[in-house]
Amino acid sequence: MKFAVGYQEPENRELFSRIVADYRDHICEVYFALPGSPSGRADYARKGSIDRLEDELTAIRQMGVKLDLLFNANCYGGSAISLDFEKKLCAVLADWQSIGLLPDVVTTTSPYVAMLVKKHWHTVETRASVNMRIDSIGGMEYLKDIFDSFYIRRDLQRDVSTLKSFKNWCDNNGKKLGMLLNSGCLRNCPSQTFHDNLVSHDKEVKLRENTSWNPHLCWRLYAEQQRYVEFLKSSWIRPEDLQYYENLVSFAKLATRQHHYPRLVIGAYVNRSYHGDLLHLTEPDYSAAFAGKMLDNTLFPADWHTRAGSCGANCHNCGYCNDVLKKIMR
């Protein structure tokens, strides 16, 4: 299994390109957003961010790793289908091409962006973002004229039979399929659209006098210990269970753009083993929310992958995750 990993500004004084170099044989892509532009994460651009990004991506491309540019914000406001947006997109790609860094892939939530890339930059692969929440073969069928690859909706991906059906369709239609391995988000979160839109307008939000109310449903839920079990019901895949999924996807995404310890995450999945608190592997990292508790990744029962890989999400009549939580929480 090859991994797509998310670029971040140097943390802990370590360049991201050094991490990529150490795991080069296992990394197929590095995805990144433009500093100062809306994306699926809040923008933390600092002075010199664009220069550092160019230097890092140059080093990464020299390793033979593909580059994936993100246009995956949930909202682009009134300019979402404008001619100005088309000019901006073309200018961005032309600028990156001029310095030898034309992305190999553009991942987007916007069918308009995908169409424009196909129109002007036909050599660049277009990918449907995981934030599009594509949850049916019909959804891929509708968009196959403008997308070359798809992320399956993370809420479905644990189910091996569903993943197989998506993979079969992709194989039969010349498409590629990916999955996101370490999302900490709630399964079937009803607040995702609200949250994604909030992130898209992060700059505007910061200019307002805002309430102290926490807009993130997951963090509000995990303030109550009886809700901890919801973490086990989420969509993440343990490093130890990759063998059951690796032949079903063309690439696997690791969320590392804002993770405090990207090397830890990448190393765990490359090595297919992690001896520590499972909460530290996901983005977001909920260890602070679990009030001094940890979820020992070494204590999962042997049948976890079987149960997770065939889960019908009939939680009201199951109770399995509650039993597992008692076993692994310390």
Side-chain angles (χ1 to χ4, degrees):
M1 181 178 282
K2 297 286 188 176
F3 303 105
V5 298
Y7 168 82
Q8 64 167 255
E9 293 251 17
E11 295 287 342
N12 304 318
R13 300 181 181 179
E14 181 172 38
L15 295 175
F16 193 75
S17 58
R18 292 177 184 168
I19 303 176
V20 175
D22 286 345
Y23 295 104
R24 167 63 193 93
D25 292 341
H26 304 275
I27 294 174
C28 58
E29 298 172 4
V30 169
Y31 59 92
F32 65 99
L34 298 175
S37 297
S39 74
R41 290 287 185 271
D43 181 41
Y44 293 106
R46 302 189 292 265
K47 184 178 180 180
S49 287
I50 189 65
D51 292 333
R52 283 190 293 272
L53 176 63
E54 290 180 9
D55 290 344
E56 285 279 78
L57 294 184
T58 297
I60 290 167
R61 169 150 283 175
Q62 289 172 352
M63 300 176 204
V65 175
K66 291 183 177 181
L67 304 180
D68 177 5
L69 173 60
L70 302 179
F71 274 87
N72 65 338
N74 206 53
C75 179
Y76 288 100
S79 65
I81 57 171
S82 69
L83 293 176
D84 284 342
F85 193 96
E86 179 175 10
K87 292 176 183 177
K88 175 183 176 182
L89 175 66
C90 289
V92 165
L93 292 176
D95 286 345
W96 285 101
Q97 184 179 46
S98 70
I99 58 174
L101 293 174
L102 179 68
D104 303 279
V105 184
V106 169
T107 294
T108 184
T109 50
S110 167
Y112 182 60
V113 168
M115 181 276 292
L116 293 177
V117 173
K118 281 293 179 192
K119 176 182 176 182
H120 297 290
W121 306 90
H122 57 87
T123 62
V124 176
E125 178 183 332
T126 52
R127 181 170 301 161
S129 168
V130 70
N131 292 332
M132 291 185 74
R133 291 181 277 180
I134 294 177
D135 55 10
S136 69
I137 289 173
M140 295 188 293
E141 183 76 35
Y142 300 150
L143 295 170
K144 68 179 183 180
D145 61 324
I146 55 173
F147 283 109
D148 302 307
S149 54
F150 299 88
Y151 278 109
I152 187 173
R153 180 170 177 164
R154 56 192 167 201
D155 309 295
L156 302 179
Q157 66 182 21
R158 277 185 179 175
D159 183 58
V160 172
S161 62
T162 297
L163 199 57
K164 283 181 179 179
S165 66
F166 274 61
K167 176 65 162 55
N168 288 338
W169 182 90
C170 286
D171 287 346
N172 292 333
N173 287 274
K175 307 295 182 181
K176 294 191 288 188
L177 183 68
M179 65 191 299
L180 171 56
L181 295 175
N182 66 323
S183 170
C185 294
L186 296 170
R187 191 174 189 175
N188 297 312
C189 179
S191 289
Q192 183 181 340
T193 299
F194 169 78
H195 177 227
D196 286 349
N197 280 331
L198 191 70
V199 171
S200 296
H201 294 278
D202 183 61
K203 289 184 178 180
E204 301 165 62
V205 171
K206 288 177 178 177
L207 295 176
R208 304 292 195 275
E209 182 179 357
N210 295 309
T211 175
S212 60
W213 177 73
N214 190 336
H216 307 301
L217 176 60
C218 47
W219 287 91
R220 298 203 310 273
L221 287 181
Y222 291 143
E224 307 171 28
Q225 186 166 331
Q226 63 267 30
R227 298 284 199 167
Y228 288 174
V229 70
E230 300 301 326
F231 181 80
L232 295 188
K233 300 175 185 177
S234 300
S235 64
W236 43 262
I237 306 296
R238 295 174 65 231
E240 292 80 1
D241 295 336
L242 289 185
Q243 60 183 306
Y244 305 105
Y245 299 93
E246 63 181 340
N247 294 321
L248 300 178
V249 293
S250 303
F251 49 88
K253 178 180 179 179
L254 293 175
T256 58
R257 287 175 64 198
Q258 292 183 359
H259 199 285
H260 291 304
Y261 305 104
R263 179 180 284 278
L264 179 147
V265 173
I266 297 170
Y269 282 94
V270 166
N271 295 320
R272 303 185 179 219
S273 177
Y274 178 62
H275 294 264
D277 185 357
L278 183 63
L279 296 168
H280 289 321
L281 281 190
T282 62
E283 187 180 283
D285 175 341
Y286 291 114
S287 56
F290 275 56
K293 303 290 186 180
M294 69 167 288
L295 303 184
D296 192 332
N297 188 54
T298 67
L299 298 180
F300 273 78
D303 67 343
W304 170 262
H305 74 272
T306 303
R307 297 292 292 269
S310 60
C311 178
N314 187 18
C315 298
H316 290 296
N317 299 307
C318 180
Y320 176 74
C321 286
N322 290 280
D323 294 337
V324 173
L325 182 66
K326 294 174 185 177
K327 180 179 178 64
I328 68 172
M329 190 163 71
R330 292 289 181 266

